[in-house]
Amino acid sequence: MSTHLQPKGPTAKGPEQWFTGEVYFNAYYTGQEPSRARLNLVRFTPGAHTAWHQHAVGQTLHVTEGVGYDQTRGQELIELHPGDTVHTPAGEWHWHGAVADQFMCHLALWEAPDPASGEPETTWGDKLTAEEYPA
Ligand code: MN
């Protein structure tokens, strides 16, 4: 095997059923078996955020720009700044996104589960209510 420059895919818009507000992402790396690694850059416009969701094998976010939030269900809100890295363990319900008046960009690193498990990489739940997104 040798080092490969990865093809640059298009910037895609985050689907409306998974995101509130305008979110754009680039898939930078999608590992081929035996690698199941995934690396995306996700750009949230001000106020934009994910719905509640969980990752079968967890997820690590690294903030590259702006100001944002990350919150696991039932836990305190974490404010994110450039250079911050946050990890959410497998199966924990959480959301992440931009603060109301700033963009936020993060790299998202995760792994797909063993295909034999039949589990999806990410399980999506409800969108945040107006009360759940910080005022
Ligand atoms: Mn996540």
Side-chain angles (χ1 to χ4, degrees), residues 90-109:
E92 289 202 359
W93 287 93
H94 69 289
W95 66 272
H96 30 107
V99 299
D101 62 353
Q102 300 286 330
F103 282 79
M104 192 275 283
C105 303
H106 66 52
L107 289 165
L109 170 70

Side-chain angles (χ1 to χ4, degrees), residues 53 55 59 61 94 96:
H53 65 284
H55 306 283
Q59 183 181 59
L61 306 177
H94 69 289
H96 30 107

Side-chain angles (χ1 to χ4, degrees), residues 28-44:
Y28 284 161
Y29 180 70
T30 302
Q32 301 299 302
E33 291 281 343
S35 170
R36 297 180 198 137
R38 280 93 175 89
L39 179 68
N40 281 11
L41 177 66
V42 189
R43 297 178 170 104
F44 296 86

Side-chain angles (χ1 to χ4, degrees), residues 21-75:
E22 305 253 308
V23 177
Y24 296 88
F25 68 92
N26 286 73
Y28 284 161
Y29 180 70
T30 302
Q32 301 299 302
E33 291 281 343
S35 170
R36 297 180 198 137
R38 280 93 175 89
L39 179 68
N40 281 11
L41 177 66
V42 189
R43 297 178 170 104
F44 296 86
T45 59
H49 53 274
T50 70
W52 289 101
H53 65 284
Q54 54 150 302
H55 306 283
V57 192
Q59 183 181 59
T60 302
L61 306 177
H62 179 80
V63 181
T64 57
E65 193 180 327
V67 186
Y69 296 125
D70 185 300
Q71 187 173 32
T72 292
R73 199 182 280 288
Q75 295 186 20

